[in-house]
Amino acid sequence: MNTSPKAVRFDDDTLWVSLSDGRTIAAPLAWFPRLLEAAPEQRAQVELSKNGLHWDALDEDISVAGLLAGQPDLSKRGVHLPA
């Protein structure tokens, strides 16, 4: 994938990611419990890479591909994927 994140912002309920191809993706913060529970200062400590977003202090990684696919974070929702 050649599309990378260029900027991240939040409102009360939504994660907004501006992409290098001009699109902006919106995803509900409810999909990402660590971000939903984080303070604004913690959310601001995002690291952008060519493939996604990373918050070291929150142990959160979100890929651009996952956002484009509409994939929420399943790790803290009690969802167990088959082995």
Side-chain angles (χ1 to χ4, degrees):
M1 172 176 299
N2 296 336
T3 303
S4 60
K6 292 299 177 191
V8 178
R9 64 182 173 88
F10 298 89
D11 61 26
D12 291 340
D13 303 309
T14 308
L15 162 70
W16 299 88
V17 181
S18 299
L19 301 176
S20 59
D21 66 3
R23 290 182 286 177
T24 299
I25 305 170
L29 277 177
W31 283 9
F32 307 101
R34 291 180 196 101
L35 292 177
L36 180 64
E37 297 167 6
E41 297 80 20
Q42 292 173 301
R43 292 179 190 164
Q45 295 176 358
V46 62
E47 298 172 26
L48 305 179
S49 71
K50 67 177 184 172
N51 295 317
L53 315 167
H54 174 71
W55 289 264
D56 193 48
L58 300 174
D59 191 27
E60 182 72 78
D61 292 286
I62 301 173
S63 71
V64 170
L67 285 171
L68 289 170
Q71 182 177 350
D73 174 12
L74 302 177
S75 65
K76 289 188 77 175
R77 295 173 154 239
V79 174
H80 301 285
L81 301 176

